[in-house]
Amino acid sequence: MIEMDDAIRIVLENTQTIDKTRVGLGDVLGRVLSEDVRSDIDMPPFDKALMDGYALRGAAIASASQEAPVALDVIEEIPAGNVPQKRVEGGQASRIMTGAPVPEGADTVAMVEDTEADADPEKVRVLAATETGRNIARLGEDVRVDQVVLQANAVIRPPEVGILAAVGHVDIAVYRQPVVGVVATGSEVVEPQHKPKPGQIRNSNGYSMVAQVLRAGAQARYLGIVEDDVDALIHTIGEGLETCDVVALSGGVSAGDCDLVQDGMRDLGVEVLFDRIRMKPGKPLTFGVKGAKQVFGLPGNPVSSVVGLELLMRPAIRKMQGMTDVHLPIVRTALSADFRQTPGRKQFVPAHSVQGKNGAWESTWVGHHGSADLFSMARANSLFVVNAELAHVKAGEELDLILLERW
Ligand code: AMP
Ligand code: MG
């Protein structure tokens, strides 16, 4: 039996980043860059008007006011997308639209709100001074040609999709998403479309595991239910090892006569690196490797399966696809009520936690009925961590709190 921290370390020491691939802009959300991305242009690519108004020389309107407007000759109109043809001299202005290039000679854009029409349609009256240089974004002020705009290992969120588009990066080098094969084991387990007969239960784990795998950024391949039979297990784990990067099994890892997952793993040449963790829930969690492939045997109890996947498999899945931030965030929390446990194993307790206005977290145990209570997990947004040696944590005492990803 090993400690949780050692289990996490062993999993990550045995996790390699997988190969690279390329995707288009439509498929890049959530993916991880495998190379730095540089801009192929200056941004903005020209001096650009930030307001609708008049491009002019700031000095020409320095004395302008409501009482003493300055009349300028309007020499050109420049809609966005057009290139200015005329140079602006003192006493002149070009009507300009937001996003259009500022003409030569002009150093300022006066907002249309600071102007009014003149009796002469070829002129404009400026009613206020504008500080020289205002309302213009300068060429290259955001980014220079060849500048790195996104670094390797960045996770692409919606704003990064926009940046990739802006720098013309349409064929993007990313890490391949790991493929995780999901297997539910147990002769009592039936698919959800069937009403369980006496002694049977529905396969909830297989589907919640697929969902967790997808949330961790990987692809999931559902490999079905396997009865508690070593040959059947060898067949399906073998299929998973051939077609997937990771095989995740639920059930069949405890000490019972029907718990044959470890036997199946060993028969296929999987090196089992641990098969017991001093944690609650989830003690019989099993982890093995065959080359770069990994096999996780998660306990069948639904809460154990959810917690084990989040705390041990999720970091591996994230590391495989190049993410550097692999662990769930940890904060400190106070408990809203006393909590007692039998000392011996580090406990990860499903909790509903809220952050007060002062930033402090407070956690309430969601009160599950043992590790089979799937419904408690749906009320939890976090896990508070009670160290193995503690028997009693008083209300208000502080503990570590693991924040689950928003489900
Ligand atoms: P095991 O780890 O195989 O001993 O299973 C522990 C408990 O979890 C048993 O009560 C099983 O019936 C239950 N269980 C096992 N597999 C699943 C599953 N796929 N979905 C829901 N519950 C399961
Ligand atoms: Mg079982």
Side-chain angles (χ1 to χ4, degrees):
M1 186 125 85
I2 64 169
E3 299 301 329
M4 185 57 168
D5 291 346
D6 293 323
I8 293 173
R9 181 180 50 74
I10 290 168
V11 168
L12 288 177
E13 279 173 5
N14 285 280
T15 304
Q16 273 85 45
T17 302
I18 55 175
D19 38 315
K20 298 166 186 177
T21 180
R22 305 188 85 88
V23 293
L25 283 172
D27 298 313
V28 76
L29 182 65
R31 304 298 294 269
V32 186
L33 295 180
S34 64
E35 291 170 8
D36 290 348
V37 172
R38 292 172 187 276
S39 180
D40 66 339
I41 51 168
D42 290 321
M43 281 202 293
F46 45 81
D47 289 349
K48 184 173 82 173
L50 292 174
M51 293 283 178
D52 293 329
Y54 291 86
L56 43 72
R57 298 191 179 186
I61 58 164
S63 68
S65 68
Q66 290 279 352
E67 298 70 36
V70 173
L72 300 174
D73 294 329
V74 179
I75 57 169
E76 187 180 13
E77 179 152 328
I78 315 165
N82 281 37
V83 177
Q85 304 297 325
K86 293 184 180 160
R87 187 183 159 83
V88 174
E89 308 290 350
Q92 296 182 329
S94 287
R95 180 134 173 82
I96 196 163
M97 311 302 154
T98 304
V102 175
E104 250 183 83
D107 56 18
T108 304
V109 171
M111 299 194 293
V112 72
E113 292 86 344
D114 288 339
T115 67
E116 64 181 19
D118 190 82
D120 179 347
E122 314 252 288
K123 285 181 185 290
V124 62
R125 288 151 64 87
V126 181
L127 305 170
T130 300
E131 197 190 325
T132 297
R134 285 299 293 273
N135 303 326
I136 298 176
R138 294 289 167 192
L139 182 151
E141 126 184 337
D142 296 334
V143 167
R144 282 293 182 182
V145 163
D146 246 12
Q147 191 179 323
V148 172
V149 291
L150 295 171
Q151 290 186 333
N153 300 94
V155 180
I156 302 301
R157 305 167 306 162
E160 284 82 19
V161 177
I163 292 172
L164 289 165
V167 301
H169 228 75
V170 296
D171 182 35
I172 308 139
V174 294
Y175 290 102
R176 183 169 66 76
Q177 292 174 297
V179 178
V180 180
V182 173
V183 185
T185 79
S187 300
E188 78 281 29
V189 181
V190 296
E191 288 294 8
Q193 62 270 31
H194 302 301
K195 196 141 202 185
K197 297 199 176 76
Q200 294 185 327
I201 55 152
R202 283 200 175 109
N203 175 20
S204 58
N205 291 352
Y207 294 93
S208 56
M209 287 161 71
V210 164
Q212 287 177 279
V213 164
L214 295 175
R215 275 294 162 89
Q219 290 182 10
R221 176 168 298 161
Y222 179 60
L223 298 172
I225 299 169
V226 181
E227 60 192 290
D228 294 312
D229 170 80
V230 80
D231 292 326
L233 282 165
I234 290 168
H235 174 83
T236 302
I237 301 171
E239 179 189 345
L241 285 169
E242 261 173 43
T243 58
C244 306
D245 301 289
V246 179
V247 184
L249 299 110
S250 127
V253 288
S254 309
D257 292 342
C258 296
D259 294 323
L260 303 167
V261 165
Q262 283 114 346
D263 293 346
M265 286 166 67
R266 290 203 174 85
D267 191 272
L268 286 158
V270 175
E271 185 189 356
V272 175
L273 298 179
F274 57 77
D275 60 4
R276 291 273 176 288
I277 305 177
R278 210 183 307 280
M279 73 182 281
K280 188 178 173 191
K283 178 170 77 173
L285 201 150
T286 301
F287 174 66
V289 291
K290 185 173 184 183
K293 308 229 172 177
Q294 301 183 331
V295 182
F296 288 85
L298 303 173
N301 284 309
V303 175
S304 312
S305 152
V306 168
V307 170
L309 197 153
E310 287 302 309
L311 298 186
L312 284 146
M313 239 181 86
R314 181 181 179 277
I317 292 175
R318 288 171 69 89
K319 185 176 173 187
M320 277 187 189
Q321 58 191 306
M323 293 181 187
T324 47
D325 175 19
V326 300
H327 293 295
L328 291 165
I330 298 184
V331 296
R332 295 289 284 172
T333 192
L335 297 192
S336 64
D338 284 21
F339 185 84
R340 288 167 207 278
Q341 69 171 1
T342 313
R345 287 186 277 156
K346 194 176 203 173
Q347 190 169 179
F348 298 86
V349 185
H352 183 77
S353 301
V354 290
Q355 196 175 20
K357 284 206 179 66
N358 59 359
W361 286 90
E362 191 185 64
S363 300
T364 306
W365 176 40
V366 293
H368 63 84
H369 313 119
S371 43
D373 183 2
L374 174 65
F375 296 93
S376 67
M377 263 341 272
R379 294 190 297 274
N381 59 0
S382 51
L383 305 166
F384 65 76
V385 185
V386 186
N387 280 334
E389 68 283 359
L390 291 175
H392 183 188
V393 185
K394 294 206 185 75
E397 265 182 59
E398 286 219 333
L399 296 172
D400 278 350
L401 180 71
I402 299 171
L403 300 176
L404 296 169
E405 226 169 1
R406 261 174 219 283
W407 287 347

